[in-house]
Amino acid sequence: METEFKVDQKVVYPSQGVGIVKEIFEKTFKDEKILYYKIYIEASDMMVMIPVSKAQDLGIRQIVSKEEAEEALKLLSDEFEPITSDWKLRYQMNLDLLKKGTVKDIATIVRCLYNRSKVKELPIMERKLYESAKKLLEDEISFALGKTAKEIEAEIHTKLEPFGASIKIKHITPLEEDDEDDDLMDDINDRSSKSNDDSDDDSDDDSDDLESSNDMDSDEDFDDEF
């Protein structure tokens, strides 16, 4: 059976990274013979088996051309419309782009989250998504241009933040923050407030005991920890 990819061909598996087709083989499942790609993902040192019939649906594709790789690098420094300040919506939008997995989609995620991080620190999940997208971009472009990942990492940083340049956003809209870190701080503040109330009650009880026993000359001072 003719397949789109050949043994020893480098391919991109969206959300996983650049891999190499190690084997194409048949496996019987419920009396049906199914053709599989066995792909080695170097970045995670992982071997995956993908049904040939499902490869297109999973977005598995060949590595982009040199021209496409250079266009993706250029996109990093282009102007763009600001994205929503709602981190949950922003995360889902970028996650959907990552699943599509074109080199321009990945570059868009990197540009979006890098510039967002210059406005406000990213929530933990978005930081992880940014690092994953950046690594995918470095790996594919390094293969496409025949350069090392370190060289491409430096080029990406230069494109994202040219010397003396400002963030290339067409306009800034008022922010209505709904960040993960804000939600976390609200929870911490609530717990701290409750803890302080309990501490006040305990202090009153201790004060009464001290007055009745006359075992100590003065109350101990303490600092609240936050």
Side-chain angles (χ1 to χ4, degrees):
M1 178 180 177
E2 192 70 19
T3 59
E4 182 178 0
F5 308 115
K6 308 299 181 185
V7 173
D8 293 332
Q9 182 176 351
K10 290 184 175 67
V11 295
V12 176
Y13 187 170
S15 79
Q16 298 296 331
V18 175
I20 183 168
V21 179
K22 289 293 188 179
E23 185 181 352
I24 301 173
F25 66 97
E26 278 188 342
K27 187 176 181 180
T28 302
F29 180 71
K30 292 184 177 179
D31 298 326
E32 180 183 358
K33 289 185 177 181
I34 300 175
L35 200 61
Y36 284 86
Y37 291 118
K38 183 182 285 186
I39 302 173
Y40 175 67
I41 309 295
E42 183 176 358
S44 56
D45 190 24
M46 177 175 64
M47 192 76 76
V48 296
M49 294 191 304
I50 306 295
V52 170
S53 61
K54 298 291 185 182
Q56 186 174 4
D57 293 340
L58 292 171
I60 295 176
R61 57 177 175 79
Q62 63 183 359
I63 291 177
V64 294
S65 66
K66 179 180 178 180
E67 291 72 25
E68 289 174 300
E70 289 173 342
E71 286 178 8
L73 283 174
K74 180 178 179 297
L75 183 149
L76 294 172
S77 55
D78 285 350
E79 292 184 345
F80 65 99
E81 296 291 342
I83 198 167
T84 176
S85 60
D86 181 336
W87 83 267
K88 295 171 187 174
L89 179 58
R90 189 171 64 233
Y91 177 81
Q92 188 58 55
M93 292 170 63
N94 283 321
L95 191 60
D96 290 342
L97 284 177
L98 188 65
K99 290 176 181 177
K100 287 173 59 180
T102 71
V103 71
K104 286 189 174 181
D105 288 332
I106 297 170
T108 298
I109 296 169
V110 172
R111 180 185 64 183
C112 164
L113 295 183
Y114 178 82
N115 284 295
R116 177 63 188 174
S117 72
K118 305 295 287 185
V119 176
K120 183 174 182 178
E121 183 179 358
L122 297 174
I124 294 171
M125 290 177 66
E126 280 198 304
R127 287 201 298 271
K128 290 180 179 179
L129 179 60
Y130 169 73
E131 292 298 334
S132 295
K134 184 167 172 285
K135 184 66 169 63
L136 289 172
L137 192 64
E138 289 169 1
D139 286 350
E140 181 168 9
I141 292 181
S142 68
F143 279 112
L145 299 184
K147 297 183 179 182
T148 67
K150 286 292 184 184
E151 288 175 320
I152 298 303
E153 181 181 14
E155 286 193 43
I156 288 174
H157 182 74
T158 300
K159 292 290 185 182
L160 289 170
E161 193 165 342
F163 182 75
S166 58
I167 298 174
K168 293 180 176 293
I169 301 179
K170 290 184 179 179
H171 63 274
I172 299 293
T173 54
L175 300 179
E176 296 179 0
E177 300 296 350
D178 183 22
D179 282 351
E180 179 184 50
D181 294 344
D182 292 341
D183 296 340
L184 181 60
M185 285 308 299
D186 288 342
D187 291 340
I188 292 174
N189 290 336
D190 288 343
R191 289 197 296 270
S192 296
S193 176
K194 185 178 186 304
S195 176
N196 287 340
D197 291 342
D198 292 341
S199 296
D200 290 341
D201 292 340
D202 292 342
S203 297
D204 291 341
D205 293 340
D206 291 344
S207 178
D208 291 340
D209 292 341
L210 288 171
E211 289 176 0
S212 61
S213 64
N214 292 321
D215 287 336
M216 298 182 66
D217 293 332
S218 61
D219 293 337
E220 292 182 352
D221 295 329
F222 63 91
D223 296 326
D224 290 333
E225 294 183 1
F226 293 92

